[in-house]
Amino acid sequence: MSGKTRDYFGTLKSAGRTVLKEESASDCIQPVQNQVPETPPHIKKYRKSYKHQHGCAILHPGLVDAPKPQGNWLYGKKTDPSDKAGDLFKQQPEGIKELINEINEQKYASHIKEPLGTMPTRNYNWPEESKSDGFAFGQKIPPSEFTAKEVVFPPDAKRDEESVRLMYLKSHGNFEAGEQKNREYKWNVNPNEYRFGKKDEREQEQMKKILQHELTQNQYPKTTIISKHQEDWKNYNEDPLGKPKNLAQINSRMPAIFGETKKDEQWTAGQCINGQPTQKEVQPDIDLGKATKFGFRNQTKQGDETRAFGVPTIRNDIVKTGMKSVADPQNYGDEVPAVALLFPEKFSHMGLTEQDFLMLRNKKDIKQIFESIGIKYGIGKFEGVFKRAKEIQNTFDDKVSVKAFQLAVQEMHHID
């Protein structure tokens, strides 16, 4: 059974159609010129390529072959020519016409009181006091002893008596906040404890009825009779789900096969994509990994075989100023590299770096650091651990690092 398949449903007809003998993927991708079958003339008007043409009027497929009116038939009404933009901008008269127009405009009150482009003049006779700086109209109002909030809501206002409140309740409907309206109806029940209305019964399968609203009470879809023209228009304009779109062809089951017949040569889809290169064509280029642009080749001279071109990413040769500005983007070598961002250190969330553990500290600082985390020793044991830390640190000064003292603690924690 190697290389063969088994048909488990031999009684059913196979779907699709058989591949013609002379048809391949290569022939479909690279057809021979002047041998591609064209679309039949009575089918062209239904294709999208006809609707996407430029420079021509696109008609409905039913009107393409319809007879046209005889003669030079024009639709619509001819539009009367409008005023030109140049004539509209040249409305202001010039020369003697402008003087005559100015004389004619003097008779209008609006031209005198509110001239165009200038400040209107009222010809008021103002007193001399109004011409001085700092002059203001009106009278200054003295500040009130009460604020607007106290005027609207007096803090020491007394409540009205109950008889006065009931009087305003009847005349103006002045109910208190949250007070229930009492119209003095004679109820057979107590309205403060009785609930009015009827409880709705809970409807079953609400979501199913929302999604399938066409179902009737007996769970059968409703029969809706509509016009055939409406259904044909819907099938032509809308895309049906899982079916090809109906473009109003004359015969949708026309036994026509589009494409070019298959030739004798057997080419697969992989050969169409990759081709059949020779061994020389698949070899890498001779300049692979080398700079091909002139002036950018790192060609060393004699004596420069170990020379490093360029500058390092983290600069340690630049002198750092006393106080670095927040706007200074220069890296002085005191910043963490990219690997520290990808793999942060253990205590980086506390603001500590590896340098803090390797910094040399005196005996007092070491004792204070370890006592703050709960490690306390007597004078004798502390001196012994500190001496061992100096040996690990290999220093002659009376200073060790936290890392060296921590290693000494691990070795001598069991010694009293």
Side-chain angles (χ1 to χ4, degrees):
M1 298 302 293
S2 175
K4 299 183 180 180
T5 59
R6 179 182 297 176
D7 189 3
Y8 295 94
F9 304 95
T11 58
L12 299 179
K13 184 179 179 180
S14 302
R17 64 179 180 84
T18 58
V19 181
L20 297 180
K21 182 178 180 181
E22 298 179 354
E23 187 179 39
S24 64
S26 175
D27 299 331
C28 295
I29 297 175
Q30 299 177 351
V32 182
Q33 296 183 356
N34 302 327
Q35 293 187 10
V36 180
E38 298 182 355
T39 306
H42 62 282
I43 300 296
K44 283 186 177 180
K45 58 184 179 180
Y46 301 109
R47 304 199 64 177
K48 292 184 178 181
S49 59
Y50 168 77
K51 298 181 180 180
H52 295 168
Q53 296 184 69
H54 59 277
C56 62
I58 305 302
L59 302 176
H60 189 273
L63 299 177
V64 174
D65 302 329
K68 306 298 187 296
Q70 299 295 332
N72 297 328
W73 183 265
L74 298 176
Y75 294 92
K77 181 181 179 182
K78 187 177 181 180
T79 306
D80 297 332
S82 59
D83 298 332
K84 298 181 179 179
D87 299 336
L88 298 177
F89 283 106
K90 295 180 180 180
Q91 294 295 329
Q92 184 68 22
E94 300 177 355
I96 191 65
K97 293 184 179 180
E98 183 178 3
L99 179 59
I100 296 174
N101 182 68
E102 183 70 22
I103 296 173
N104 294 333
E105 290 287 338
Q106 292 293 335
K107 65 179 71 175
Y108 298 105
S110 60
H111 180 78
I112 299 173
K113 295 182 179 180
E114 299 178 356
L116 183 62
T118 58
M119 184 177 180
T121 304
R122 307 298 183 186
N123 297 324
Y124 294 150
N125 188 14
W126 298 101
E128 294 297 332
E129 292 81 0
S130 62
K131 298 180 182 179
S132 62
D133 297 338
F135 177 78
F137 292 93
Q139 184 180 3
K140 187 176 181 181
I141 301 175
S144 177
E145 58 179 336
F146 300 104
T147 61
K149 179 179 179 182
E150 294 174 349
V151 174
V152 178
F153 303 102
D156 54 350
K158 298 182 180 179
R159 296 181 59 86
D160 297 333
E161 298 181 358
E162 186 65 19
S163 58
V164 177
R165 191 188 71 83
L166 295 176
M167 180 177 61
Y168 277 100
L169 178 64
K170 186 174 182 180
S171 59
H172 295 77
N174 187 15
F175 291 89
E176 294 288 344
E179 181 181 0
Q180 184 181 10
K181 295 182 179 180
N182 185 8
R183 296 184 175 85
E184 299 182 358
Y185 294 154
K186 295 182 179 179
W187 302 99
N188 296 328
V189 295
N190 185 5
N192 297 329
E193 300 177 357
Y194 186 76
R195 289 182 130 188
F196 296 89
K198 181 180 179 182
K199 184 179 180 181
D200 295 336
E201 296 181 0
R202 184 175 182 181
E203 190 174 359
Q204 302 296 330
E205 298 182 352
Q206 296 182 3
M207 186 56 64
K208 180 180 180 181
K209 294 180 180 179
I210 292 175
L211 298 177
Q212 301 178 358
H213 54 84
E214 70 276 3
L215 297 180
T216 59
Q217 185 176 2
N218 296 328
Q219 303 300 317
Y220 293 101
K222 299 178 181 179
T223 302
T224 305
I225 300 176
I226 60 175
S227 175
K228 186 177 183 297
H229 296 286
Q230 178 182 356
E231 189 67 19
D232 294 342
W233 179 88
K234 179 180 178 181
N235 293 334
Y236 176 74
N237 287 274
E238 297 182 1
D239 297 328
L241 183 62
K243 298 180 181 179
K245 185 177 181 179
N246 183 14
L247 299 179
Q249 293 88 343
I250 297 177
N251 186 5
S252 59
R253 299 182 180 180
M254 180 175 57
I257 300 176
F258 299 94
E260 192 178 17
T261 58
K262 184 178 180 181
K263 296 182 180 181
D264 296 336
E265 51 190 73
Q266 299 291 334
W267 264 55
T268 62
Q271 292 174 337
C272 294
I273 298 174
N274 300 324
Q276 291 181 349
T278 61
Q279 186 66 21
K280 182 179 180 181
E281 292 176 346
V282 298
Q283 294 297 325
D285 297 336
I286 59 175
D287 57 353
L288 181 63
K290 300 180 181 179
T292 59
K293 190 174 181 181
F294 181 76
F296 288 85
R297 303 186 182 98
N298 295 334
Q299 298 178 355
T300 58
K301 299 180 181 180
Q302 185 177 3
D304 292 342
E305 289 79 5
T306 60
R307 175 186 172 186
F309 293 87
V311 294
T313 305
I314 301 177
R315 302 290 299 274
N316 295 323
D317 56 333
I318 301 177
V319 180
K320 183 178 180 182
T321 58
M323 182 177 295
K324 181 179 178 181
S325 173
V326 295
D328 186 5
Q330 180 64 44
N331 185 355
Y332 296 95
D334 55 350
E335 299 181 8
V336 295
V339 67
L341 300 177
L342 299 176
F343 305 98
E345 298 178 0
K346 184 176 181 181
F347 300 99
S348 59
H349 65 282
M350 301 175 63
L352 299 177
T353 61
E354 187 67 21
Q355 191 65 27
D356 296 330
F357 291 89
L358 301 178
M359 184 187 300
L360 297 179
R361 307 175 189 272
N362 54 29
K363 188 181 300 184
K364 181 180 178 181
D365 294 339
I366 293 293
K367 184 176 181 180
Q368 184 178 1
I369 290 174
F370 279 85
E371 285 183 355
S372 62
I373 62 175
I375 301 178
K376 296 181 180 181
Y377 297 110
I379 299 177
K381 185 172 183 178
F382 179 79
E383 291 293 339
V385 175
F386 191 83
K387 183 178 180 181
R388 176 55 184 163
K390 289 176 61 178
E391 296 176 358
I392 297 175
Q393 191 74 42
N394 194 15
T395 177
F396 298 98
D397 298 335
D398 200 14
K399 294 182 179 180
V400 295
S401 63
V402 176
K403 184 69 175 178
F405 194 86
Q406 189 177 9
L407 295 176
V409 169
Q410 294 178 359
E411 294 181 6
M412 304 176 63
H413 70 283
H414 60 284
I415 300 175
D416 295 335

